[in-house]
Amino acid sequence: MAKPSKASLDMIRQLVEMPTVSRDSNLDLIHWIRDHLKGMGVESTLVHDATGKKANLYATLGPQDRPGIVLSGHTDVVPVDGQDWETDPFRLTEKDGLLYGRGTSDMKSFVAIALAYAPQFLAQPLQTPIHYAFTYDEEVGCLGAKRLIEVLKEMPVTPKACIVGEPTGMQVIGQHKGKKSWRVDVRGFECHSSLTHLGANAVEAAAELIAFIKALARKKKAEGPFDAEFAPPHTSLHTGTVQGGTALNIVPKDCSFLWEIRYLPQDDVDALYDEVVAYARDRLEPELKAVDPACGFSFTQISGFPGLATPDSAGVIELAKVLTGANRVSKVSFGTEAGLFSQEAGIPTIVCGPGSIEQAHKPNEFIALDQIAQCEAFMDRLLERVRGKAGPLPV
């Protein structure tokens, strides 16, 4: 079994040991990458969020006047609060061929390996440049990528292809589900619980709408559309949190809940959302408003990203097969920033990276050393392609 290079392992350690939980700033890590690249003569563009406390980084290695290949990854990680870790999550720990630490699998290892290869990319007369795109707040709705793409679309050169290095076990992913999520706020009318006929129960109204969402989920499970390469093979609807009421003897005035749709690329997510809103407006609101016109439902979208549907005939798929040695293209149910690069920026995109999504967000998150070595082999083949020594790129 091939062993990973010291350069990659050192870079993984560097990034994992810089905590970048989504609720906090990622600037220490982004500034470190910026300075690291500047030391090799590479200038970076930082694209900040509205607060100035977070930033994306975009940089080009090689010719600046021609489109290249984007290596993309998010820099944020999920929290470790309440998780039972056997090691310090922000100290890289190696044991039995595995590297433990928050972000090892999702997805600092890919970012680290891409950075570790910067000296090798820069040492070559690249015919096709390499673009780095490292983002913030992927874990809370792909917020950073959306902002980066706004800027990217205004740049004089648009990349020709993008590889998002989410953990896929180095399998080539051409499609994934999209996601939209909403907060629903229900306003009722409070009164003493012995006088329910005078009140409008916000919790019960929310429960009826949640039950309708569950009914839609069952319908999708039974009727589809289906795609057996996804798990589950259909669009799913899910309610995650509910908050409402103050005391049992008070008819509750307020209730709110969060729900989501994870949809197949070919499904109509907006039509599903419209069904939910119509049920609330037409079936549930009249009873509430009969008590008080101020009662009712309000819907606020809190996150969303499009699905990915790169055709198997796309050049980026052919390139990814060459780089991985794969004979097939797979699909995954989890979402990534790839759909944004594809649909919003018009860049043909695939997902392929080291590690397993099964480890993501869990305590004792790890990546296997052989996955790092496989990703390095991927980068070696990419290096040969972008320096023009292995024939023309298919993209």
Side-chain angles (χ1 to χ4, degrees):
M1 181 179 68
K3 293 184 178 180
S5 70
K6 183 177 183 299
S8 290
L9 294 177
D10 287 347
M11 190 65 72
I12 293 170
R13 183 180 303 279
Q14 178 67 43
L15 300 190
V16 167
E17 296 185 0
M18 300 178 75
T20 49
V21 175
S22 300
R23 65 184 174 222
D24 302 323
S25 173
N26 73 334
L27 289 184
D28 285 348
L29 184 147
I30 288 293
H31 289 167
W32 186 90
I33 294 175
R34 177 198 61 191
D35 296 343
H36 177 72
L37 292 175
K38 188 172 184 179
M40 292 181 279
V42 177
E43 294 296 326
S44 300
T45 297
L46 301 191
V47 180
H48 291 81
D49 72 344
T51 70
K53 296 179 180 179
K54 300 181 180 182
N56 305 295
L57 181 144
Y58 186 79
T60 298
L61 284 61
Q64 304 287 312
D65 60 349
R66 65 187 73 169
I69 310 297
V70 177
L71 301 179
S72 178
H74 62 83
T75 62
D76 60 316
V77 297
V78 297
V80 299
D81 307 51
Q83 294 187 336
D84 186 16
W85 282 75
E86 296 176 5
T87 64
D88 185 337
F90 297 110
R91 294 290 177 190
L92 194 68
T93 302
E94 181 178 350
K95 182 180 180 182
D96 298 329
L98 306 176
L99 294 180
Y100 291 88
R102 174 56 88 222
T104 48
S105 189
D106 185 20
M107 57 172 295
K108 286 183 173 179
S109 290
F110 177 83
V111 174
I113 295 165
L115 286 169
Y117 267 75
Q120 296 182 59
F121 286 127
L122 292 170
Q124 304 295 329
L126 298 183
Q127 300 301 306
T128 301
I130 293 293
H131 308 290
Y132 289 150
F134 302 140
T135 61
Y136 66 85
D137 279 2
E138 186 270 350
E139 297 289 6
V140 292
C142 298
L143 305 182
K146 293 173 183 177
R147 178 74 185 106
L148 176 62
I149 287 168
E150 290 176 6
V151 175
L152 186 60
K153 289 191 291 188
E154 302 300 320
M155 291 183 176
V157 176
T158 300
K160 64 171 65 178
C162 178
I163 299 166
V164 176
E166 290 276 7
T168 68
M170 294 307 298
Q171 300 300 304
V172 180
I173 305 301
Q175 294 190 38
H176 68 63
K177 290 183 178 181
K179 173 189 171 181
K180 286 188 176 182
S181 62
W182 297 267
R183 185 183 73 248
V184 179
D185 295 298
V186 187
R187 172 58 62 90
F189 189 82
E190 63 187 350
C191 67
H192 195 283
S193 64
S194 66
L195 302 171
T196 55
H197 64 292
L198 300 179
N201 192 312
V203 169
E204 292 178 351
E208 288 187 274
L209 188 57
I210 291 169
F212 180 76
I213 292 169
K214 179 62 177 179
L216 286 179
R218 291 192 178 102
K219 182 178 180 181
K220 283 295 174 183
K221 182 178 180 180
E223 301 178 8
F226 299 104
D227 186 330
E229 294 185 62
F230 287 102
H234 51 80
T235 293
S236 61
L237 296 86
H238 156 77
T239 300
T241 68
V242 184
Q243 295 177 322
T246 54
L248 180 58
N249 61 357
I250 301 174
V251 172
K253 181 179 71 174
D254 295 298
C255 186
S256 64
F257 64 91
L258 303 179
W259 69 288
E260 69 175 21
I261 305 176
R262 291 183 182 265
Y263 56 96
L264 298 180
Q266 70 268 30
D267 213 345
D268 190 342
V269 63
D270 293 328
L272 278 172
Y273 169 73
D274 289 344
E275 280 193 65
V276 174
V277 173
Y279 188 84
R281 298 279 186 251
D282 300 339
R283 296 289 299 276
L284 302 179
E285 266 193 353
E287 184 178 358
L288 297 176
K289 288 185 176 297
V291 176
D292 188 319
C295 295
F297 292 81
S298 62
F299 293 78
T300 304
Q301 185 173 334
I302 57 175
S303 69
F305 51 78
L308 177 69
T310 302
D312 288 354
S313 59
V316 68
I317 294 285
E318 182 181 345
L319 173 63
K321 286 181 175 180
V322 169
L323 299 181
T324 60
N327 294 319
R328 66 185 299 270
V329 182
S330 301
K331 304 175 185 180
V332 293
S333 293
F334 65 86
T336 77
E337 296 167 334
L340 290 166
F341 282 104
S342 176
Q343 294 195 30
E344 301 296 329
I347 302 171
T349 303
I350 58 99
V351 184
C352 183
S356 169
I357 196 64
E358 292 295 325
Q359 298 305 319
H361 302 186
K362 292 182 178 180
N364 305 311
E365 178 183 351
F366 67 79
I367 189 169
L369 291 176
D370 71 319
Q371 283 288 297
I372 298 169
Q374 285 185 47
C375 189
E376 289 184 327
F378 177 99
M379 292 294 177
D380 287 334
R381 298 185 190 108
L382 178 61
L383 177 60
E384 290 301 304
R385 288 281 167 169
V386 296
R387 67 195 288 255
K389 296 297 184 180
L393 286 170
V395 293

